[in-house]
Amino acid sequence: MAYVVQVTEAAADANPAVAEYRTEVGERVRFESKADADALVEKFNAEGAAEVRLRSVHEDHPLEEGQEPVDGYVEGA
């Protein structure tokens, strides 16, 4: 089952690797699993810039009315 992540502008502003990734692939990214999304976040954080985190919509914050349906957000830590 796919895991769709929104890469936030705040994360891109905080971390140059995230900004480059967001420019290349877009702000909505489809992964095969949450584990794949977690691995990307770990890679971003290993590069030494400002930390980002993966926030799961279903675990941490319910989807609000009018929001695009995604599974999580890459955002500033």
Side-chain angles (χ1 to χ4, degrees), residues 23-38:
T23 299
E24 290 176 8
V25 301
E27 63 184 55
R28 290 173 58 94
V29 184
R30 183 186 220 53
F31 294 93
E32 291 295 317
S33 68
K34 183 178 184 293
D36 292 339
D38 283 329

Side-chain angles (χ1 to χ4, degrees), residues 28-57:
R28 290 173 58 94
V29 184
R30 183 186 220 53
F31 294 93
E32 291 295 317
S33 68
K34 183 178 184 293
D36 292 339
D38 283 329
L40 181 65
V41 168
E42 286 179 25
K43 179 180 177 246
F44 289 148
N45 289 335
E47 294 183 9
E51 281 199 21
V52 295
R53 70 182 188 118
L54 179 62
R55 177 174 59 87
S56 174
V57 170

